[in-house]
Amino acid sequence: MKWKLVLAALFLNCCAAAGIQAETIHLSAAASMTDACKEIIAAYEAKQPGAKVLANFGASGALAKQIEQGAPADVFISASTEWVQHLADKQMAAPGSEKTFAGNSLVFVGSAKAAVLSMEKLPELKRVAIGNPKNVPAGQYAKQAMEKAGIYAALEQGQKFVLTDDVRHALMYADQGEVDGAFVYATDALLAKTAKTLFTVDAALHEPIIYPMLLTAAGAKNAAAKAFYDYLSGAEAKAALKKHGFAVNP
């Protein structure tokens, strides 16, 4: 009889563990979303004690490639439509789940002692940090803006770019004075410790900065992930985004 009780206890423990596993949600989100998403996650977990959101922040391109290679992800928030479309093309997104999450703007930050610059004067600087345009949307937007302004070639040929793995590292270099300035999102600039915004990039110089999100094919099979995905479109999540400087739809 005793061994039956032991087996029953083990069975119940396994069921409980399975339940906890089913409530685990894997979120992959653009690095610039770190602070806003952490606040959203904390609020969600407080409302849903059984849910646990495990977040992975980084460059949108790098995250999309990780997901493509099998990294666990139920919800993906990108800083550009390119990488959401990439996963959709690979049939790794739940059909019809792509939607706009937030918006942002691009700014150039540098030393608080620096004079206010303009895009045209950037070739006069020695070192400019941008996210690597191959993987980092902020870098892609910055490259578009500089190309349209006619200054990208001069900076590239002068080997003045310091390429970073994500937009937060570009901000870090500007904050630490290791570069003359950096292209970052307006929301990142709010987190600067020493750097200040020297100018806002004309939005007409680059594609609209939109953060799309999707539910992955794996996430569509996870009821907890679907609930969290729906929460991201709600009033509480939007309030957190606005608090951190993002633009949201009413």
Side-chain angles (χ1 to χ4, degrees):
M1 186 68 177
K2 186 175 180 181
W3 65 270
K4 290 183 178 180
L5 291 174
V6 172
L7 287 176
L10 288 173
F11 177 76
L12 290 173
N13 286 337
C14 288
C15 289
I20 292 171
Q21 183 65 30
E23 292 293 308
T24 299
I25 303 154
H26 290 90
L27 168 68
S28 288
S32 51
M33 275 283 169
T34 300
D35 300 275
C37 278
K38 284 183 176 179
E39 182 170 326
I40 291 171
I41 289 169
Y44 185 74
E45 290 180 341
K47 291 187 67 174
Q48 304 290 338
K52 180 63 179 177
V53 182
L54 301 179
N56 180 25
F57 299 106
S60 298
L63 293 175
K65 291 174 183 176
Q66 289 172 15
I67 295 171
E68 185 179 356
Q69 292 167 5
D74 296 307
V75 179
F76 175 48
I77 301 173
S78 173
S80 76
T81 56
E82 175 186 355
W83 295 108
V84 160
Q85 187 60 48
H86 176 80
L87 292 182
D89 290 343
K90 297 289 183 179
Q91 298 184 333
M92 301 191 74
S97 67
E98 302 105 285
K99 63 174 67 174
T100 297
F101 182 54
N104 214 334
S105 56
L106 192 68
V107 300
F108 189 81
V109 298
S111 170
K113 298 179 181 178
V116 176
L117 293 172
S118 65
M119 183 73 79
E120 293 71 23
K121 293 183 178 180
L122 289 186
E124 299 174 12
L125 303 180
K126 294 181 180 180
R127 290 162 62 84
V128 174
I130 65 169
N132 190 329
K134 292 182 179 180
N135 290 314
V136 184
Q140 294 170 344
Y141 295 127
K143 181 180 179 181
Q144 290 172 6
M146 287 184 281
E147 286 179 335
K148 201 159 187 179
I151 62 170
Y152 184 80
L155 286 161
E156 184 178 42
Q157 291 168 8
Q159 298 183 338
K160 297 186 176 185
F161 289 129
V162 175
L163 302 182
T164 65
D165 292 335
D166 58 50
V167 69
R168 289 293 174 89
H169 280 94
L171 176 65
M172 181 185 71
Y173 283 140
D175 248 347
Q176 296 178 349
E178 297 181 19
V179 295
D180 297 309
F183 282 98
V184 301
Y185 295 121
T187 51
D188 295 306
L190 295 175
L191 304 174
K193 297 177 182 178
T194 61
K196 70 172 184 178
T197 298
L198 300 179
F199 66 86
T200 298
V201 179
D202 185 347
L205 295 177
H206 57 75
E207 294 175 358
I209 300 176
I210 295 173
Y211 289 72
M213 69 173 180
L214 60 74
L215 189 66
T216 67
K221 301 174 184 177
N222 183 346
K226 292 173 71 175
F228 179 65
Y229 170 80
D230 291 337
Y231 178 81
L232 292 174
S233 297
E236 291 181 7
K238 288 182 178 181
L241 289 170
K242 290 174 69 175
K243 174 183 172 182
H244 288 274
F246 291 95
V248 296
N249 292 326

